Amino acid sequence: MPPTSARADAQRARVLAASVEIFGTRGYRATSMNEIAAGVGLSKPTLYHYFRNKEELLVRIYSDVLDESLRMAQETVDAAATPFDGLHDLLVSRVVHTCENRELLKICFEEEDELRPDLSEELIVRRRLFEDVAVSALRRHLDEHPEVRLAMAPKVFVNMCLGAVNWTYKWYRPTGPRTAAELGREMADALLAVLVPPA
């Protein structure tokens, strides 16, 4: 009896979760489909019913992360009282998300070269949609405060900020003195200080 849609979706979610754990531990290239099947308690033929190969798994992981990131970014910016608050809240949320999903983000940041160029380009386009949410908020802030001067283009500034907050997956420790939210607020305050209009 073939799995129902709900059962199939639940099984795919289990496979993806196991893949994230195994890719994060062993690396994408060193992981086999046999290991993933064993990790989720499926036979290899059954696993191929849900995902045809490792690359499809990796693409799905990237796609899910990008979709969720874009949704969170748009909701965060839309809910903020001002464009500055939206950009600030967005950076805080990225720190929290990155610190709470370090294994997942490690794969996204370190395994991208394993994708075929055509698939990689598609994901880059989707990543730019996320960046555009932040760039749009920044430009609205600058339009409202012409007295604020940036020493670089808005897109460069946004990518500098995103690079800083994304890198927390490398060094954040949950046992440290700050929660992810506290760290996020400190980082956002520091990165965006140059955008605060002079008194």
Side-chain angles (χ1 to χ4, degrees):
M1 176 178 171
T4 65
S5 177
R7 285 175 56 203
D9 288 345
Q11 195 70 281
R12 287 189 188 95
R14 288 183 61 233
V15 172
L16 286 167
S19 300
V20 167
E21 184 176 348
I22 297 169
F23 288 161
T25 302
R26 292 182 50 77
Y28 173 82
R29 188 169 295 186
T31 300
S32 69
M33 289 293 273
N34 280 332
E35 289 172 296
I36 294 170
V40 79
L42 296 175
S43 67
K44 195 172 178 182
T46 302
L47 176 62
Y48 283 128
H49 176 76
Y50 297 103
F51 294 97
R52 292 168 296 180
N53 50 47
K54 280 198 309 179
E55 188 171 55
E56 185 178 358
L57 273 166
L58 189 59
V59 169
R60 176 64 181 272
I61 290 169
Y62 272 98
S63 295
D64 286 354
V65 167
L66 289 171
D67 289 347
E68 178 68 3
S69 295
L70 179 59
R71 183 192 64 77
M72 289 171 57
Q74 196 65 67
E75 289 179 357
T76 299
V77 170
D78 288 347
T82 68
F84 178 87
D85 291 339
L87 187 57
H88 187 280
D89 294 347
L90 174 56
L91 294 182
V92 175
S93 73
R94 289 312 300 168
V95 171
V96 172
H97 181 72
T98 301
C99 291
E100 292 180 350
N101 297 276
R102 285 178 298 152
E103 198 168 60
L104 177 62
L105 274 297
K106 176 184 178 183
I107 295 168
C108 291
F109 295 141
E110 297 182 8
E111 302 288 4
E112 190 171 356
D113 289 345
E114 299 294 340
L115 295 171
R116 295 198 322 263
D118 59 318
L119 295 174
S120 182
E121 183 59 34
E122 177 187 338
L123 295 174
I124 288 171
V125 169
R126 293 169 68 185
R127 185 187 303 142
R128 285 175 182 153
L129 294 174
F130 168 80
E131 295 167 0
D132 287 346
V133 174
V135 172
S136 177
L138 172 57
R139 286 185 169 140
R140 293 199 304 274
H141 174 71
L142 295 174
D143 287 344
E144 292 175 5
H145 298 280
E147 69 275 25
V148 173
R149 294 284 186 267
L150 265 183
M152 62 189 76
K155 195 170 187 70
V156 175
F157 180 80
V158 162
N159 277 293
M160 178 188 73
C161 293
L162 292 176
V165 298
N166 286 339
W167 197 247
T168 53
Y169 89 94
K170 274 283 194 184
W171 53 264
Y172 176 73
R173 295 293 176 268
T175 55
R178 289 168 182 76
T179 66
E182 289 168 341
L183 176 64
R185 287 190 291 271
E186 289 183 359
M187 292 185 69
D189 288 346
L191 289 165
L192 302 185
V194 68
L195 300 181
V196 177

